[in-house]
Amino acid sequence: TNEGDFNTQTQVSNFRGRTKLEDEDYYLEGDSLYFDNTLKIGYALGNVFMQSKKDSLIAESDFAWYRGKEGESKLYGNVIARSFSEKD
């Protein structure tokens, strides 16, 4: 990322410039990202690429938001989604 900040007291990240985040379940990339680690909510804006490793899903869009506690993600604008599975 080119510019951003992480508040250690509030656990909030706000990044501007192409940014990538990854954990054991998800990979997220976008032109700007916001994430509240305490509430487990966030969004990505611009050229979004998201992978749900658990659900074997890859998606691209203009905008995406995520609510981790609810297990929800929504994508908006020019959405392309692909589901994949391993062959037997």
Side-chain angles (χ1 to χ4, degrees):
T1 187
N2 295 335
E3 186 179 330
D5 54 76
F6 174 69
N7 186 313
T8 57
Q9 292 180 332
T10 64
Q11 297 290 299
V12 171
S13 303
N14 192 9
F15 298 105
R16 294 157 300 285
R18 196 77 186 154
T19 304
K20 303 169 188 174
L21 298 174
E22 184 171 11
D23 67 15
E24 62 275 354
D25 295 324
Y26 288 94
Y27 175 86
L28 180 63
E29 185 174 338
D31 291 342
S32 63
L33 296 174
Y34 168 89
F35 191 74
D36 183 319
N37 202 38
T38 303
L39 298 175
K40 302 292 184 206
I41 59 171
Y43 65 83
L45 179 61
N47 300 304
V48 176
F49 178 86
M50 182 177 71
Q51 179 183 6
S52 172
K53 298 171 187 176
K54 183 176 80 172
D55 298 322
S56 301
L57 176 71
I58 294 174
E60 298 175 65
S61 69
D62 295 329
F63 177 81
W65 61 256
Y66 170 72
R67 291 199 249 182
K69 291 181 180 179
E70 291 84 0
E72 293 181 335
S73 296
K74 297 252 180 174
L75 297 103
Y76 300 92
N78 299 307
V79 177
I80 298 171
R82 296 179 221 80
S83 179
F84 57 94
S85 61
E86 294 182 30
K87 292 183 178 184
D88 295 329

